[in-house]
Amino acid sequence: MGMELKTSNPVFAGKTYEATATRVGYGSSMTISGTVNKAGILMLCVLATAIWSWSQFFATGDASSVGGYTMVGAFGGFIVAMITIFKKEWAPVTAPVYALLEGLFLGSLSAMLELRYPGIAIESVAMTFGTCFAMLLAYRSGLIRPTEKFTMGVVAATGGIAIVYLLSMVLGLFHVQVPGIFGSGPIGILFSVAVVIIAALNLILDFGVIEEGAARGLPKYMEWYSAFGLMVTLIWLYLEIIRLLSKLRGDDRR
């Protein structure tokens, strides 16, 4: 029922929908509206813990007061994300847990940047949701569709970005920094702009995969899993936008 869509989002990678696309002829199945509702719930989960960790930071103004939340949120979120990817049927439980953990991380990080650059957090949130809405309009209107060439290009670009980040992390262990692209100079800003664009285009691929999943009548729990996949992209987009804005304001100078 339609082609097997590919995406650079690891949540939707491989044979995710092909492996679960078995109609059973009874019971509820995945719908687009149901997925949107689940995504809304996950956003509320992120917002709840983000507000809490944000308030904890501004109560003291000390980064060490939220250091533990940052670590728990980042690493805990990664672990729960991996569990969700390998155990999709657990998504109704693990997806909200992932969202709550990521909220801790995002709230702490945003608060620290907000103290340095007032207004950066709300700007990043507004740009993230504005970009998501624009991509959704472009997708629904047919202006941008996840064609094979489009998908291959976005997947390749996302893979390239992942390799750059991975190499920078490995080199960082040896105290070697990648010059230019992570600084606030012209090259660094252009790199961040490119990454933000690629992250935004990944939303188009996610929308296509979700629509395909609903058309195939996947099990109801895939609404949670699909909403989880969309959240992964939105969180990445937010992080790249706030990184870009921090560079534009002179952050990350070395």
Side-chain angles (χ1 to χ4, degrees):
M1 186 175 295
M3 67 177 182
E4 178 69 22
L5 292 176
K6 295 181 179 179
T7 173
S8 49
N9 188 331
V11 175
F12 295 136
K15 302 294 185 180
T16 297
Y17 279 16
E18 183 176 315
T20 54
T22 302
R23 289 184 179 273
V24 294
Y26 58 88
S28 299
S29 58
M30 174 184 173
T31 65
I32 293 177
S33 62
T35 303
V36 171
N37 292 337
K38 303 304 188 298
I41 293 173
L42 295 185
M43 287 180 186
L44 290 176
C45 290
V46 171
L47 182 61
T49 50
I51 291 175
W52 190 81
S53 58
W54 171 288
S55 63
Q56 292 299 304
F57 174 79
F58 278 105
T60 62
D62 183 6
S64 63
S65 66
V66 294
Y69 304 136
T70 305
M71 297 295 289
V72 169
F75 290 101
F78 176 77
I79 292 172
V80 174
M82 291 298 100
I83 292 173
T84 307
I85 290 173
F86 288 103
K87 286 290 185 178
K88 300 174 181 60
E89 62 274 17
W90 292 3
V93 174
T94 57
V97 173
Y98 166 80
L100 290 170
L101 288 169
E102 286 299 319
L104 289 176
F105 169 65
L106 295 178
S108 302
L109 175 66
S110 300
M112 288 185 280
L113 287 173
E114 179 72 15
L115 183 64
R116 185 167 185 172
Y117 296 107
I120 194 172
I122 191 63
E123 290 176 12
S124 299
V125 170
M127 290 179 66
T128 299
F129 282 102
T131 300
C132 181
F133 184 67
M135 290 296 101
L136 181 58
L137 284 180
Y139 177 81
R140 296 300 296 173
S141 67
L143 182 62
I144 304 178
R145 299 296 295 180
T147 62
E148 184 175 355
K149 289 184 178 180
F150 175 88
T151 300
M152 289 178 62
V154 174
V155 170
T158 305
I161 292 169
I163 291 173
V164 170
Y165 281 163
L166 180 60
L167 286 176
S168 68
M169 290 174 60
V170 173
L171 292 175
L173 296 176
F174 300 96
H175 305 289
V176 177
Q177 295 180 343
V178 179
I181 63 174
F182 294 117
S184 59
I187 295 177
I189 291 173
L190 287 175
F191 176 76
S192 283
V193 169
V195 175
V196 167
I197 292 173
I198 296 303
L201 292 178
N202 268 273
L203 288 171
I204 298 294
L205 303 188
D206 292 349
F207 296 150
V209 172
I210 290 171
E211 186 174 48
E212 178 73 6
R216 292 183 177 213
L218 300 189
K220 197 68 174 176
Y221 69 80
M222 289 298 290
E223 290 180 351
W224 283 105
Y225 186 80
S226 299
F228 157 71
L230 184 59
M231 287 302 301
V232 169
T233 301
L234 284 173
I235 289 171
W236 176 37
L237 177 61
Y238 174 80
L239 290 173
E240 295 300 343
I241 286 176
I242 203 168
R243 182 199 294 267
L244 172 60
L245 292 180
S246 69
K247 287 182 178 181
L248 290 172
R249 297 189 183 195
D251 191 34
D252 240 4
R253 282 186 180 150
R254 297 185 173 99

